[in-house]
Amino acid sequence: MVIKVFLASSSGSTAIKKKQQDVVGFLEALKVDYAPLDIACNEENRMWMRQNVPEEKKPSNGIPLPPQIFNEEGYCGDYETFFDAKEDNMVYAFLGLPPPPGSKEAEQADKALIVENGTHAEETNAEESLDESIEVPVEARNGNAHGEEEQEAEEEEGEGDEEEVAEGETAEEEVTEGDEAPADEEEEEEAVEETDEVTEDTAQAEEEEEQVAACKNWHVSSVCVPVHWKPTDSKTLPVT
């Protein structure tokens, strides 16, 4: 990977020249290979730099000023971002390069990796301990089998209760029918007795009516002769 630094060799701005020297001198101190590209004498370099600087990194007038730093085709930043990375010992990260072993940036990267891994390990252990401390319900350990067994037992109990209720209702109906049967027999006996009484009364009334009719036939004025009397002599019959 080649680091490209776009510079203006004939710039009239002292500030721009100072910034360019700061960037180039620091890269040489770190022994980072780079390619200086002059935009003052090469129009193609200037146009390429302007086209590849992101819009959000361009100034308000839309024309980026040198120095601008690229890693191959990827944009790294301008002088301000380079300066911030230098202050934070993150120049290699800014350039997109791996830090050399033994450098401060490499040491910081190792410490950050250790802290990150240690924190991750601690979080993992804490989660495992939390999972172990949480009591898992019996149903969760045994699956849904235990729950299904309880449900089946409840259904069987419900069916047993329904059968008992049905048997109780049947027994009540039998008792009711048993109570009603004697009552019906008593009513029939009373009806038979009343019928017999009516029959006797009717027979007695008919007998009395026959006696009255016999008296009229005999033309008796004050005394009626019983129906069962039979004259022995026709002479003794009263004469009207």
Side-chain angles (χ1 to χ4, degrees):
M1 292 182 290
V2 178
I3 302 300
K4 299 177 181 179
V5 181
F6 290 86
L7 307 170
S9 58
S10 61
S11 175
S13 174
T14 305
I16 291 176
K17 289 181 180 180
K18 185 178 179 179
K19 291 178 181 178
Q20 293 176 161
Q21 291 174 0
D22 191 6
V23 172
V24 171
F26 195 80
L27 292 177
E28 290 176 354
L30 294 178
K31 297 181 180 180
V32 175
D33 294 333
Y34 71 96
L37 300 175
D38 190 3
I39 63 173
C41 300
N42 191 322
E43 184 67 22
E44 184 179 351
N45 291 338
R46 183 171 58 192
M47 294 301 298
W48 191 96
M49 183 193 74
R50 291 182 178 181
Q51 291 175 358
N52 289 275
V53 172
E55 292 293 332
E56 63 273 11
K57 299 296 182 180
K58 291 180 180 180
S60 57
N61 59 4
I63 300 174
L65 299 176
Q68 298 290 336
I69 306 166
F70 289 81
N71 184 339
E72 294 291 347
E73 307 296 327
Y75 181 71
C76 297
D78 55 8
Y79 176 78
E80 282 73 17
T81 53
F82 172 81
F83 180 81
D84 293 339
K86 183 175 68 172
E87 292 294 324
D88 296 335
N89 292 323
M90 299 292 292
V91 175
Y92 287 97
F94 167 79
L95 297 175
L97 300 175
S103 63
K104 292 183 179 181
E105 190 170 346
E107 293 177 359
Q108 290 180 355
D110 293 338
K111 290 180 181 180
L113 182 61
I114 292 172
V115 171
E116 183 179 356
N117 293 336
T119 304
H120 180 69
E122 291 176 359
E123 291 178 354
T124 304
N125 294 332
E127 290 177 357
E128 291 177 355
S129 301
L130 181 61
D131 294 338
E132 292 177 357
S133 62
I134 297 174
E135 184 178 357
V136 180
V138 177
E139 294 182 0
R141 292 199 301 267
N142 298 337
N144 296 329
H146 183 70
E148 292 177 355
E149 291 178 358
E150 292 183 353
Q151 185 176 2
E152 291 177 357
E154 292 177 357
E155 292 178 355
E156 290 178 358
E157 291 178 358
E159 292 178 356
D161 295 339
E162 292 178 357
E163 290 178 357
E164 291 178 359
V165 171
E167 291 176 358
E169 293 178 354
T170 304
E172 291 178 358
E173 291 178 358
E174 291 178 355
V175 171
T176 304
E177 291 177 357
D179 295 339
E180 291 178 355
D184 294 340
E185 291 178 358
E186 291 177 359
E187 291 178 358
E188 290 179 358
E189 290 177 359
E190 291 177 358
V192 171
E193 291 177 359
E194 291 178 358
T195 304
D196 294 340
E197 291 176 358
V198 172
T199 304
E200 291 177 359
D201 294 340
T202 304
Q204 186 176 357
E206 290 178 354
E207 186 177 354
E208 290 177 357
E209 289 179 357
E210 289 178 358
Q211 290 179 358
V212 172
C215 288
K216 288 181 179 180
N217 292 333
W218 286 99
H219 302 285
V220 180
S221 60
S222 60
V223 180
C224 292
V225 180
V227 175
H228 60 271
W229 178 81
K230 294 182 179 181
T232 57
D233 191 0
S234 61
K235 292 181 180 182
T236 62
L237 293 174
V239 177
T240 58

